Amino acid sequence: TIGISVLTFLPISAYWVQLIVNFLWSIIFVRFELLWLAAADIVLLLVLIGIMILGFGKVNRIAGDINIPYFLWVAFATYLNVATIFVN
């Protein structure tokens, strides 16, 4: 039978949700300039990436490790987003 295990369902779900949240961040931050909402969005994105990394790591360590630079990049973007709030 074709099925998806519980072990792979959560990280794959986190992947798709973080993809949508990542897409929405640009619209919220750049187009609508809702800086606080964008900050909440990007913090949610960090959490989802963390869940994704941990889940992928349980299936395949390399699959988890390869997403660490993405997590670090989004953490830096989070810092910039919050700094923009305080500067403006």
Side-chain angles (χ1 to χ4, degrees), residues 42-43 46 72-86:
I42 204 165
V43 168
L46 271 177
L72 295 173
W73 175 253
V74 173
F76 179 63
T78 303
Y79 164 76
L80 293 176
N81 189 148
V82 173
T84 302
I85 293 170
F86 289 111

Side-chain angles (χ1 to χ4, degrees), residues 13-74:
S13 298
Y15 169 78
W16 286 106
V17 173
Q18 70 84 28
L19 204 61
I20 294 165
V21 170
N22 190 337
F23 174 76
L24 291 175
W25 179 86
S26 299
I27 296 169
I28 295 167
F29 186 83
V30 177
R31 172 66 176 98
F32 295 112
E33 297 180 5
L34 299 171
L35 303 181
W36 283 102
L37 184 58
D41 181 270
I42 204 165
V43 168
L44 173 62
L45 180 60
L46 271 177
V47 170
L48 290 168
I49 294 169
I51 291 169
M52 186 181 74
I53 289 171
L54 292 174
F56 283 0
K58 288 179 182 178
V59 176
N60 182 322
R61 182 179 172 149
I62 294 173
D65 290 349
I66 204 166
N67 284 291
I68 292 172
Y70 176 44
F71 180 87
L72 295 173
W73 175 253
V74 173

